[in-house]
Amino acid sequence: MARMREREYINRIFDGIVEFTLKSKGALVIVGPKWCGKSTTAKRYAKTVIDLMPLESRNEFIELAKISPSNFLNYGPKPILVDEWQHVSFIWDQVKYEVDKTGEFGQYILTGSVTDKGKAELDAESSRHTGNGRIIRKMMRTMSLYETGDSNGTVSLSDLKKGKFSNAMSKKDINDYAYYVCRGGWPVAIGKDRDVALAQARDYYEVVVTDDIFSLKDIPLKKDEQKARKLMRSYARNVSIAAADTTLLEDCAGSDETFDKDVFAKYLNALRNLYVIEELPAWNPNLRSKTAIRAKETRHFTDPSIGAAALGITPEGIFKDITTFGFLFESLVVHDLRVYADAIGAHVYKYRDSKKREADAVLQFADGSWALVEVKLGGEEDIRKAADNLIKIADDIDYDRTGKPAFLMVVTKNKVAYQMENGVYVVPLCCLKD
């Protein structure tokens, strides 16, 4: 029998995050959507792997963890990877004990695609001083266009922050971006034939609405695929928009009187706990004016292809609704900015004020500096208006408190990266990297 060749590993930006965390913390918890590559990446850094995915070994490991959590967590050489660790979430206190007992870094890697019972405590751990030597939680996302090889990486966010920029070009056009929106950044899709690649997001969506969303013990839901599909479609129609829950609920409910507020909230929380959706929080800077800042989060899937799958959109069909294409393209940009921001210690937000001015993304760097980003699928006139908008927003920021912006940037589907006379950078998405 011929041996199946092991799939070649595609280097991830997240690799650097794993390497640094294992050198600086006792344990790393990797969360994120199913199929984003958590296990594959984690196994590269583990000396011992406890895989709780196969049913034949899962029950044995669970029994060991119950009977002797110490032996379970000292099963072999460290770092020890506990894959799909939510099945033994009761060992959380023992993990903390083992980490504290020696004070050594790089002892454990825990991975999972479902929010575990220790999430609140994990968040509290993560918010403390980074030198406490205990446990930190990091989110792994699907692949950015730089990781998939579609972006040439000629424009770096780190370089822009330092004032370094050179004109660059991308060979990609709007048809390519239509494909990227629908394909997404699923590792299994990369390098595959077009039809196979596009099937991955659709398959992920089907698994969510037929199984995953009803599998959470902490959020029991009566199985109703139609409700799940309604919610996913409604969310997809509101991607990149700060839509209120009531807006989504009204869209879902229609003639379905059983889709009430409480049921809707459970479905939405289930999608969050599965890392299917991830809202973009609002940025609240100090302004010179008395303009009010809007604090509502903006709707996004963890990968834009989930939204395309929920709407049944193909790369060819997306051109029939250019407005939806624009929102999904914006979500694609936000997705990639989040991947790049994670690598350089930055965070991504949305800016919106009572004057209806918006910046599609705000990069907040670790040193407190910031940058404003607009996303435009349109032509030169739209780009010019977007640049003017960024300048107006930036001029209203209180520089005495926040400092001047590191840069202003319009991300486009065009082919040329350049700096406008007003100082705003115009950069194709397929030129960007961290």
Side-chain angles (χ1 to χ4, degrees), residues 157 160 177 329-330 332-334 336-337 360-361 372-378 383 386 390 407-414 424-432:
L157 294 180
L160 288 178
Y177 289 113
F329 178 67
E330 178 180 330
L332 176 65
V333 174
V334 167
D336 280 19
L337 288 177
D360 295 323
L372 300 180
V373 180
E374 269 280 79
V375 180
K376 285 300 170 187
L377 192 62
I383 292 171
L390 291 178
F407 59 87
L408 307 177
M409 176 174 64
V410 180
V411 178
T412 77
K413 51 68 169 137
N414 295 350
V424 177
Y425 296 106
V426 179
V427 182
L429 177 56
C430 277
C431 282
L432 279 178

Side-chain angles (χ1 to χ4, degrees), residues 171-184:
K171 295 181 180 179
K172 308 301 180 181
D173 61 24
I174 193 169
N175 295 295
D176 294 308
Y177 289 113
Y179 174 64
Y180 302 147
V181 162
C182 297
R183 181 202 64 188

Side-chain angles (χ1 to χ4, degrees), residues 302-339:
T302 50
D303 190 288
S305 65
I306 305 172
L311 294 171
I313 291 176
T314 65
E316 295 75 27
I318 200 170
F319 289 96
K320 296 177 182 178
D321 187 347
I322 202 68
T323 300
T324 297
F325 188 2
F327 285 133
L328 288 171
F329 178 67
E330 178 180 330
S331 195
L332 176 65
V333 174
V334 167
H335 168 273
D336 280 19
L337 288 177
R338 279 172 152 163
V339 174

Side-chain angles (χ1 to χ4, degrees), residues 89-220:
S89 59
F90 52 84
I91 65 166
W92 178 242
D93 287 338
Q94 188 69 28
V95 173
K96 292 191 295 182
Y97 173 77
E98 295 290 340
V99 167
D100 286 344
K101 185 170 65 176
T102 64
E104 295 179 354
F105 295 141
Q107 295 190 52
Y108 302 103
I109 307 172
L110 312 178
T111 67
S113 301
V114 180
T115 298
D116 49 85
K117 294 180 181 179
K119 181 179 184 301
E121 188 171 359
L122 265 175
D123 290 339
E125 291 276 3
S126 300
S127 66
R128 295 175 187 170
H129 192 275
T130 55
N132 64 19
R134 298 189 78 187
I135 305 171
I136 196 166
R137 171 180 173 268
K138 295 290 185 179
M139 181 167 176
M140 186 174 185
R141 308 175 191 280
T142 55
M143 300 177 75
S144 66
L145 290 172
Y146 179 61
E147 292 169 289
T148 63
D150 298 301
S151 170
N152 57 35
T154 49
V155 179
S156 160
L157 294 180
S158 296
D159 285 346
L160 288 178
K161 181 178 179 293
K162 298 171 185 176
K164 299 178 181 178
F165 174 80
S166 298
N167 292 347
M169 291 191 66
S170 167
K171 295 181 180 179
K172 308 301 180 181
D173 61 24
I174 193 169
N175 295 295
D176 294 308
Y177 289 113
Y179 174 64
Y180 302 147
V181 162
C182 297
R183 181 202 64 188
W186 309 101
V188 71
I190 308 309
K192 301 296 190 300
D193 291 341
R194 184 182 179 90
D195 290 346
V196 174
L198 290 172
Q200 305 312 313
R202 295 195 300 268
D203 292 345
Y204 175 90
Y205 165 74
E206 288 296 327
V207 170
V208 169
V209 297
T210 61
D211 185 34
D212 287 356
I213 199 170
F214 307 108
S215 67
L216 302 181
K217 294 180 181 179
D218 294 342
I219 309 177

